[in-house]
Amino acid sequence: MTTAIEDQVEADPHGLLMISQLFPGAYAQYHLPPLQSQGPKPRRQRRKKNRGGDGSSSGGVKKRKLSDEQVRLLEQNFGNEHKLESERKDRLASELGLDPRQVAVWFQNRRARWKNKRLEEEYARLKSIHETTVLDKCHLETEIIQLQEKLAEATKEIQRLSVSSPAPDFGVSGNSPISSSISDMGQQQTDFMGEFGILQEYHDYHEDVFHIAAPGESDYYNQTLNWYNTLV
Amino acid sequence: MTTAIEDQVEADPHGLLMISQLFPGAYAQYHLPPLQSQGPKPRRQRRKKNRGGDGSSSGGVKKRKLSDEQVRLLEQNFGNEHKLESERKDRLASELGLDPRQVAVWFQNRRARWKNKRLEEEYARLKSIHETTVLDKCHLETEIIQLQEKLAEATKEIQRLSVSSPAPDFGVSGNSPISSSISDMGQQQTDFMGEFGILQEYHDYHEDVFHIAAPGESDYYNQTLNWYNTLV
DNA sequence: CCCGTCGAAGTAATGAGATCA
DNA sequence: ATGATCTCATTACTTCGACGG
């Protein structure tokens, strides 16, 4: 239900609300090519349909929302170039039957969205390489332990062999601070991911990108961690 | 001229001019609380007129900003709890003189903003722990190399000592795939990072992206990297 | 200096699908 | 199943800083 306020706004017959003036005939649109919807976005396909006819008739022409046609063209232009020289702006505006101002606004908003999307993508990417790195680290740590064991054995062997002759010191034990790097990770998984679910789209290709990393993605993670923990 | 109107809009705490004309009563309560107008209205900003020509084109719903008082209270409530039970919503609405709908919208928008902010923070956090991890990995790799060298020496020594007696094989060379983990990162940097200053550094480990990096934190970093670079 | 325009950031509001009591 | 509310995407507006007359 809408409130009284909204009803009034909606019912504004004379488009003081706007656009009616801006687009004399532009409201014809609202057809719905079910195609695209940029980006892997399974849910939420927009533009199912809109109460088609009402736009023109009495009462409310609220007409927010650009038509799919308009969006398609704008999007296409955005793909070419995120910036909008006023020349192109005017051309687009007249092609689409929009106010140049609207075209400019659309581009501004589009840039903002693009930036956020970028951030999400980068986050997912960074997260995945980070996980790889953590795994690598685990491998290296195991390897170090093995090497240390071997070295200890070797040293012992040398000691044994050199009961009479002097053997060099290989300093097996006082080495580098390998333990220092062992801790720090393993608990950086806050519930944050749940909050953002890093986003539906992430989940969608999730299955392919990280092998199984499946549910909650900590499976692979924990597994490795557990395995690692058995070593220390 | 429009400027007069807009100046009034800004100066008038009731914001009824113009809006009230367009939507009688619509946003009546929109800043009811006559309080405000106090204090920090720092600059008498020059008013911008409507673009796209005359004021008529802007019919969209005018943007009445919430007063500082209102925002403060809303923000405070948001801090306590991001969700809004309709009870609290109504209470807040009446306290602030807003439409309950506005309160709900405010919370929705606030949650969305919070989510983005959160994402940025998490990105920065993840990035920093990732960098730490990468460094750790470098340390471990160096350590492995050192251990391997020592082991090789030890083995050689054992061979030398055991000209007559049998020495065990420590398998110095055919070990684990340490080299496999050395590469993988280091070039996933798009120009995106420039956009979000979050990641300026971390471009290419072997260039001097790290070089002067932020004075506060990367001293250790560069130092270590340089040191690492001498090894490869 | 003031003015007009542009871009980015922030914000208010709408609209549509999904959810859940 | 109906309505309230959420989320997500989107449109539009405001503020502000920078630039070029």
Side-chain angles (χ1 to χ4, degrees), chain A residues 6 10 43-44 46 48 62 64 83-84 86 89 108 111 115:
Chain A
E6 291 168 271
E10 201 146 23
R43 329 164 67 152
R44 186 165 239 73
R46 16 208 52 261
K48 267 300 196 246
K62 177 83 115 339
R64 265 156 177 283
K83 289 291 187 187
L84 186 63
S86 53
K89 180 176 69 177
Q108 282 165 13
R111 279 191 295 266
K115 206 166 60 109

Side-chain angles (χ1 to χ4, degrees), chain B residues 10 43 45-48 58 60 63 83-84 86 89 108 111 115:
Chain B
E10 179 167 68
R43 20 186 132 38
Q45 211 52 28
R46 79 178 118 103
R47 309 306 334 169
K48 262 178 208 198
S58 69
K63 262 295 123 96
K83 288 294 186 186
L84 186 62
S86 51
K89 180 177 69 177
Q108 281 158 200
R111 278 192 294 266
K115 200 170 63 116

Side-chain angles (χ1 to χ4, degrees), chain A residues 58-177:
Chain A
S58 62
V61 191
K62 177 83 115 339
K63 248 30 176 189
R64 265 156 177 283
K65 288 284 188 225
L66 307 179
S67 72
D68 289 349
E69 249 326 274
Q70 292 171 324
V71 170
R72 201 177 48 66
L73 217 173
L74 287 166
E75 207 71 62
Q76 183 184 306
N77 269 268
F78 183 79
N80 295 340
E81 180 50 62
H82 294 190
K83 289 291 187 187
L84 186 63
E85 328 77 57
S86 53
E87 177 212 294
R88 223 158 50 121
K89 180 176 69 177
D90 294 336
R91 184 174 57 68
L92 269 173
S94 73
E95 278 180 37
L96 295 168
L98 294 173
D99 188 279
R101 164 72 178 163
Q102 280 180 294
V103 177
V105 166
W106 190 92
F107 265 75
Q108 282 165 13
N109 288 322
R110 190 68 182 74
R111 279 191 295 266
R113 269 176 252 144
W114 183 80
K115 206 166 60 109
N116 274 343
K117 199 162 51 153
R118 226 46 203 159
L119 180 57
E120 288 178 8
E121 289 169 5
E122 288 300 318
Y123 184 87
R125 192 183 59 78
L126 177 56
K127 180 161 143 10
S128 107
I129 70 174
H130 176 65
E131 284 169 358
T132 306
T133 305
V134 166
L135 272 185
D136 285 349
K137 228 183 84 179
C138 289
H139 289 140
L140 294 179
E141 281 162 359
T142 331
E143 188 158 40
I144 281 177
I145 288 170
Q146 289 173 353
L147 284 172
Q148 284 176 334
E149 282 169 7
K150 285 178 186 168
L151 197 49
E153 274 183 69
T155 303
K156 207 174 291 179
E157 178 68 5
I158 289 171
Q159 299 246 307
R160 188 179 65 76
L161 288 171
S162 60
V163 282
S164 52
S165 54
D169 176 19
F170 293 108
V172 182
S173 43
N175 233 328
S176 330

Side-chain angles (χ1 to χ4, degrees), chain B residues 64-80:
Chain B
R64 44 266 157 216
K65 242 176 107 79
L66 306 180
S67 71
D68 293 348
E69 249 325 274
Q70 291 171 323
V71 170
R72 201 178 51 67
L73 217 173
L74 286 166
E75 206 72 60
Q76 184 184 304
N77 268 270
F78 184 78
N80 296 339

